[in-house]
Amino acid sequence: AANLKGMARAPPLLAGTGKDATHLIVVATSDRGLAGGFNATILRDTRRMIRELTGAGKTVKLLTIGRKGRDALRRDHARLIVDSLTDVGRPSLTFEAARGIAERLLARFDAGEFDACTMIYNRFKSAISQIVTRQALIPFAPPEQAAAAPQQGIYEFEPEEADILADLLPRNLAVQLYTALLENAASEQGARMTAMDNATRNAGEMIDTLNTTYNRSRQAAITKELIEIISGAEAL
């Protein structure tokens, strides 16, 4: 891919359309809430990217994965949403689901609906840390180290390199989507676990505070009753 990039015989998924006018953003969020700032960080970066592209005079389209992203972006960017998918990871995330999304993207790309496609999702780092990531899907971007590496040898390809890539790149798109969705799912579970742990801790602290307040009020009421009884007895 690094050798063919920029050459006339490079397949469209590698070379692109030759234009940079229309961008499709794939926004991967969750279908459920109660996940802390998981969805908010993705949506914040999506809105930032929309502003950057529209400010540069580009046309922006959105494909949302997950109810939370769809509902949030529909409020202020409804006209940009061209497709929306929900329940992709139910009952479990499979490669077939990622392949279906890849086929949708390829169909739109072949129809000339966009020139470049970028996916925004959360990459899992730890249960308390997720990294918002922008990944270029179309055109395919070879790893920098591969593009910069010196030629190690001379290889003969059968069939031709372009034919091999034309067959492999659509499969690679599905693999990239599957990897990103798995990272996103792991990030969602980590964020939800952290959010629920914080909620449980906060609820425990609130219960302790209310118990203390209740005990103080109860003790004050008992003390008041005792004072009234003693005062009455002394008056007699």
Side-chain angles (χ1 to χ4, degrees):
N3 292 339
L4 283 181
K5 192 169 181 64
M7 299 181 66
R9 59 195 181 99
L13 285 179
L14 180 63
T17 62
K19 300 182 294 182
D20 188 38
T22 304
H23 288 251
L24 176 66
I25 304 176
V26 180
V27 186
T29 58
S30 67
D31 289 299
R32 298 177 297 161
L34 301 177
F38 171 78
N39 292 308
T41 55
I42 296 174
L43 293 170
R44 190 181 306 116
D45 194 62
T46 299
R47 292 188 175 97
R48 185 183 301 116
M49 187 173 182
I50 292 173
R51 290 194 299 270
E52 292 170 358
L53 291 172
T54 53
K58 313 293 184 183
T59 300
V60 178
K61 298 180 179 181
L62 299 175
L63 187 153
T64 62
I65 301 175
R67 285 190 177 87
K68 292 301 178 180
R70 179 198 65 187
D71 295 344
L73 292 172
R74 183 180 285 173
R75 289 195 290 268
D76 46 3
H77 296 295
R79 60 184 180 82
L80 303 181
I81 300 177
V82 297
D83 201 355
S84 179
L85 304 172
T86 58
D87 297 326
V88 171
R90 291 187 180 182
S92 61
L93 184 61
T94 63
F95 181 72
E96 293 302 320
R99 180 183 293 171
I101 299 173
E103 290 173 354
R104 286 173 179 251
L105 293 178
L106 290 172
R108 291 183 178 276
F109 181 68
D110 292 338
E113 295 186 17
F114 62 89
D115 303 313
C117 177
T118 303
M119 184 172 184
I120 300 180
Y121 65 98
N122 265 329
R123 181 161 52 86
F124 181 82
K125 183 177 181 181
S126 68
I128 60 173
S129 178
Q130 298 85 36
I131 303 172
V132 180
T133 303
R134 297 183 188 181
Q135 181 170 341
L137 298 178
I138 301 175
F140 173 71
E144 294 182 3
Q145 61 270 24
Q151 186 71 27
Q152 299 295 324
I154 298 175
Y155 299 91
E156 292 184 1
F157 293 90
E158 180 62 37
E160 294 294 325
E161 296 173 81
D163 296 332
I164 296 175
L165 284 175
D167 184 66
L168 288 183
L169 287 178
R171 305 186 189 196
N172 175 268
L173 177 62
V175 171
Q176 289 191 75
L177 282 167
Y178 186 48
T179 302
L181 290 174
L182 285 174
E183 290 277 357
N184 213 47
S187 298
E188 178 189 348
Q189 297 306 323
R192 178 169 288 110
M193 183 180 71
T194 302
M196 293 300 97
D197 183 61
N198 291 336
T200 302
R201 188 181 302 110
N202 292 337
E205 292 175 357
M206 181 178 292
I207 290 173
D208 292 341
T209 302
L210 292 174
N211 280 333
T212 301
T213 303
Y214 167 75
N215 289 332
R216 287 176 178 173
S217 299
R218 178 171 173 271
Q219 187 63 42
I222 293 173
T223 303
K224 181 180 178 181
E225 290 177 1
L226 289 175
I227 292 174
E228 291 176 349
I229 292 173
I230 294 171
S231 299
E234 290 179 350
L236 293 175

